[in-house]
Amino acid sequence: MWLVVMFDLPVDTKQAVKEANDFRIKLKKDGFMMMQYSVYIRHSPSRENSDVHERRVKRMLPPDGEVRILRITDKQFGQMQVFRGKRRKAVENAPKQLQMF
């Protein structure tokens, strides 16, 4: 399962820029990767794990702006079409899950 965080945060004052940058830093510390400038993704091995990360994102929300959180399955993520210019680019692969024997 993938957790997608999309946001549009104000950057019209020094304080707003600091809050937006702090939010991005916190997302990265929680294991999110930048997919696009205001779109971050994180793979979670289970629904319960994605619940934990969703709660963390909610706690770190900046006071202004808009943040959206979306969950998608590995299958849905794999069906995404990505283009760089007019050329199709491969979609990122889900991390391999740890297997215990």
Side-chain angles (χ1 to χ4, degrees), residues 2-97:
W2 290 87
L3 204 55
V4 183
V5 177
M6 302 167 281
F7 52 93
D8 186 14
L9 303 176
V11 290
D12 53 347
T13 66
K14 283 186 178 182
Q15 181 62 29
V17 170
K18 181 183 180 332
E19 289 168 353
N21 288 336
D22 288 347
F23 182 66
R24 285 185 187 91
I25 290 167
K26 289 175 185 175
L27 285 174
K28 289 179 185 178
K29 284 184 179 179
D30 193 36
F32 283 85
M33 301 175 293
M34 184 169 67
M35 183 177 214
Q36 293 182 342
Y37 188 66
S38 294
V39 180
Y40 282 67
I41 59 171
R42 184 185 201 295
H43 187 264
S44 296
S46 67
R47 174 71 185 216
E48 294 78 16
N49 184 264
S50 69
D51 288 341
V52 169
H53 294 286
E54 182 176 317
R55 284 192 299 271
R56 287 182 186 165
V57 171
K58 288 178 182 178
R59 283 195 306 264
M60 63 175 108
L61 291 175
D64 294 316
E66 184 174 289
V67 178
R68 296 173 186 239
I69 302 171
L70 174 69
R71 294 179 206 227
I72 59 175
T73 64
D74 290 340
K75 182 176 181 179
Q76 291 167 327
F77 188 85
Q79 293 173 345
M80 180 180 359
Q81 293 189 26
V82 181
F83 295 88
R84 178 163 284 153
K86 293 190 180 215
R87 294 185 184 183
R88 185 147 192 246
K89 181 182 169 191
V91 177
E92 298 88 346
N93 291 324
K96 300 286 186 209
Q97 292 188 5

